[in-house]
């Protein structure tokens, strides 16, 4: 049985932009049968986060990859570009395949 990865989708405030990102990411996951489950939050949600991946806007990626609480982070440049999301998720999954 293939592993299902757990991703936190967040931004600084956890308001509109990350919720839009979550909606689009969930569509990409469903359309492409990707083994990822998502939850939504803000940066405070990193406290106690035990998942595999943080998905955020590209301006936060370097900061999150430097945070020891974050196992891995990918940044999305355009929160409505499903092709970008698919490419980055598939690349991350290929890199972390067990």
């Amino acid at each position: 049985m293939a592993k299902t990865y757990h991703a936190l989708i967040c931004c600084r405030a956890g308001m509109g932009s990350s919720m839009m990102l979550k909606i689009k990411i969930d569509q990409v996951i469903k359309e492409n049968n990707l083994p990822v489950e998502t939850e939504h939050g803000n940066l405070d949600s990193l406290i106690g986060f035990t998942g595999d991946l943080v998905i955020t806007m590209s301006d936060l990626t370097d900061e999150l990859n430097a945070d020891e609480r974050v196992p891995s982070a990918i940044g999305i440049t355009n929160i409505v570009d499903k092709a970008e999301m698919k490419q980055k998720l598939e690349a991350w999954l290929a890199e972390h395949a067990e």
Side-chain angles (χ1 to χ4, degrees):
M1 187 165 134
K3 175 177 175 145
T4 299
Y5 297 92
H6 188 76
L8 171 66
I9 300 173
C10 68
C11 64
R12 291 193 193 282
M15 301 297 278
S17 57
S18 59
M19 183 51 78
M20 269 188 68
L21 180 58
K22 181 180 182 341
I23 290 166
K24 292 297 182 184
I25 288 282
D26 285 343
Q27 289 172 356
V28 169
I29 289 167
K30 184 176 181 180
E31 290 166 5
N32 296 282
N33 238 0
L34 301 177
V36 180
E37 293 178 347
T38 65
E39 69 177 77
H40 175 257
N42 61 18
L43 291 181
D44 290 337
S45 302
L46 292 172
I47 298 169
F49 177 66
T50 59
D52 306 291
L53 171 65
V54 175
I55 303 170
T56 189
M57 275 49 79
S58 58
D59 64 323
L60 277 176
T61 311
D62 289 341
E63 180 181 331
L64 290 178
N65 276 320
D67 189 324
E68 63 187 29
R69 299 172 295 179
V70 177
S72 184
I74 57 173
I76 303 299
T77 304
N78 182 342
I79 62 174
V80 295
D81 184 351
K82 289 165 64 172
E84 176 192 3
M85 293 172 204
K86 178 179 186 267
Q87 182 271 321
K88 288 184 175 177
L89 279 171
E90 287 178 341
W92 186 89
L93 288 166
E95 184 179 319
H96 293 85
E98 291 187 358

